Amino acid sequence: MTYTVREGLILRDGAPLRLLGANYFPAAAGCRMWADWDLDVIRRDFAAMAQADLNAVRIFVIWRDFEPAQGQLDPVSLDRLADVVGAARETGLHCVISLFTIWMNGERLDPHWRADRSLWRDPLMLDRQEHLAGRIAARLREYDNIAAFDLGDEIANVDPAEAARLTRQDVASWYARIGGAIRAQSPDSLVLQANDASAVFGTTPFAVDNAAALDLIGVHAFPLWSPGGIESTLSYKATNLAPFVTRFAAAYGTPLLDEIGSYGVDEPTATAYLNAAAAASIAGGAAGLFVWCWTDIVSEAEPYSQRPTERAAGLVTADGEHKPRLRALRRISRNLGSLAIDRSPAPVAIYLNDRLRNQALSYLDDGNAGPRAVFVADLLLTRAHLGHVMAAGNAATADSGRTRLVVCPSVEHLTLADLHRIRALAEHGATVYLSSGSHSTGYPGEDLAGARVVDFRRGDPGKSAVRWGDQHWPLAWRDEVGVPSTLEVTTGKVLAEYADGSPALVANPVGLGQILYTNLPFERFLDGVGGLDSARGETFYRMLAELAQVRPEVDCPDPETELIIGTVDGSRLAVVVNHAARPIRTVVTTPHRTVPVVLAAKDWTVVELEEAAA
């Protein structure tokens, strides 16, 4: 059996396969599963997963158990890993094997012999990783249910200071070297490396935009530990986080959401979060999804001795009782597991500029506003019910002539290559909306903007509001938003003005299309806690779309309701997700009919786009 990827999908022997499963440790043993061995418990757990309509499990290789002394692999642990994979095969579960597990549940389970040596630059450590990866892949070669090997879960957290010193090439070379050792022994499996929110929001080289040597891009979504002004686990932004990081990763490869969950909440909240976030992620293009985690833990050994709250994150209790969140996941598996994503060219794209992730030292640093602005743009397009994709690098121009609206939100730094791509998109007929996050490095030049920058002025009272037609948005400038500047129009046409009458949005014809340029970092004003509330930002985006002659294929008057088009058994449908923390009663308008929809908070349903034949 061979696992491959194509057009954002995992294929098994050429047939589409969506992985839906859970991360796994046994309840009693926890992270000591390889030492406190009980294969009967593992078999029972795997059978329970399969009975709950899951088809995959993620397993962690605790490195210190597999190589207790430098250069001495433990044959018993290797055999036990093979037994676990075999038990998964018996119950029909595909496996993702996470190698080099040191960082787990917020603690380090380090091999004592590593002695703080660099995992990525020390020759000895590189040799040991290459050897262990190859040995494990060879030992498991006989099993045909290994979908992928993960090169190390959130591995940068093992040594954050050292990881911060690595270049993109350091990490890319590590991916290629260890991935090569795996592929040499297990060519029918895929390779990924799973990371936390920093892979999207931060500047770490362990990131979605540095994954060329990988088959899958592993991303995680936990509202508590993500930037972007997420107000609560039940907030609108929270359940949009997972589909956002999925779409962001899809600009660079095939996304696998291999950890999704919530912490510091009660069971109804955790269930509601998983219900909306998982449904939107699967419908939105995730090649697979693994919930953190299968079972509650009763072990009191490390890391739980220091992180006891980590023991209550399971889909089932320690004695196997199903929690409501498992019932929510089971419904998703039954109804959306075979959903085919609409792969037709999207009329709307968010352009991810070259320097997007290179603005700050940490993803928790508010100075790294670029990805957060993209998050806001993604939310606004979703609220406006404008289906969209994200595009990076030269891929952004691949659909030139078919992409009608390109969004470049609050851009901080444009390279020459960025400008060439933006010009090409406009010349081929697209409407390119570009808002500057910096009036200097984010300014595209007079020939594209149709206006020149006169000067900046901190605290400019004339920039206290912007008006476009009959719409009006008050502006509260602050340091983290940016510095107001003044434009003078040259070849463009003024569409919107500031309170002082100076241009705020300029339309400039370029080739067959146009550039809509603003020196207002609109998305930054909506970033942060409560930023979307009553801001009518989606109205601004709908007006941009009207200029590009783009209208939603499926629409709804409620902005907190997401509409995602897909197909099941050849029938086109819309997955309707309520991201609000309140019930909704609304209507969904399709090209052929209007359908009333009533949903509980954070619930979802499916609407057929065409009336069923009589």
Side-chain angles (χ1 to χ4, degrees), residues 166-174 205 210:
L166 299 176
T167 67
R168 288 171 58 87
Q169 185 55 49
D170 289 334
V171 173
S173 296
W174 182 72
N210 193 27

Side-chain angles (χ1 to χ4, degrees), residues 554-577:
V554 182
D555 210 351
C556 172
D558 189 323
E560 294 187 306
T561 302
E562 182 178 10
L563 307 172
I564 312 164
I565 296 174
T567 60
V568 172
D569 298 329
S571 298
R572 296 187 81 239
L573 51 82
V575 180
V576 184
V577 183

Side-chain angles (χ1 to χ4, degrees), residues 239-254:
T239 48
N240 274 280
L241 172 67
F244 165 70
V245 297
T246 296
R247 276 190 289 271
F248 198 107
Y252 302 97
T254 300

Side-chain angles (χ1 to χ4, degrees), residues 16 96 134 224 229 233 240 243 252 254 319 324 367 373 390 440 452 563 601 608:
V96 172
L224 182 61
T233 304
N240 274 280
Y252 302 97
T254 300
D319 58 6
M390 300 192 194
S440 56
R452 65 170 63 98
L563 307 172
E608 296 285 344

Side-chain angles (χ1 to χ4, degrees), residues 259-277:
E259 287 186 25
I260 180 173
S262 53
Y263 278 83
V265 298
D266 63 8
E267 182 60 29
T269 300
T271 300
Y273 169 76
L274 182 63
N275 197 38

Side-chain angles (χ1 to χ4, degrees), residues 315-365:
L315 291 167
V316 300
T317 64
D319 58 6
E321 180 182 351
H322 289 196
K323 295 183 182 181
R325 69 184 91 168
L326 178 57
R327 293 194 285 274
L329 182 63
R330 191 172 192 178
R331 176 176 168 238
I332 290 169
S333 175
R334 287 177 169 178
N335 293 277
L336 300 181
S338 60
L339 179 75
I341 309 303
D342 186 357
R343 301 289 178 184
S344 57
V348 182
I350 299 177
Y351 174 62
L352 306 180
N353 58 291
D354 287 348
R355 293 288 299 275
L356 178 66
R357 296 187 57 260
N358 297 320
Q359 302 299 325
L361 297 178
S362 166
Y363 76 97
L364 297 177
D365 182 345

Side-chain angles (χ1 to χ4, degrees), residues 436-460:
S436 285
S438 165
H439 73 280
S440 56
T441 55
Y443 172 60
E446 183 180 335
D447 58 333
L448 292 179
R452 65 170 63 98
V453 178
V454 176
D455 198 0
F456 70 92
R457 182 183 178 189
R458 290 186 169 88
D460 187 346

Side-chain angles (χ1 to χ4, degrees), residues 419-479:
L419 296 179
H420 290 328
R421 296 176 193 126
I422 289 168
R423 179 182 295 278
L425 286 161
E427 287 179 342
H428 282 87
T431 292
V432 180
Y433 159 72
L434 194 157
S435 59
S436 285
S438 165
H439 73 280
S440 56
T441 55
Y443 172 60
E446 183 180 335
D447 58 333
L448 292 179
R452 65 170 63 98
V453 178
V454 176
D455 198 0
F456 70 92
R457 182 183 178 189
R458 290 186 169 88
D460 187 346
K463 304 300 188 296
S464 60
V466 64
R467 181 174 297 279
W468 185 4
D470 60 356
Q471 297 293 323
H472 175 269
W473 290 271
L475 303 174
W477 291 84
R478 54 196 190 276
D479 288 344

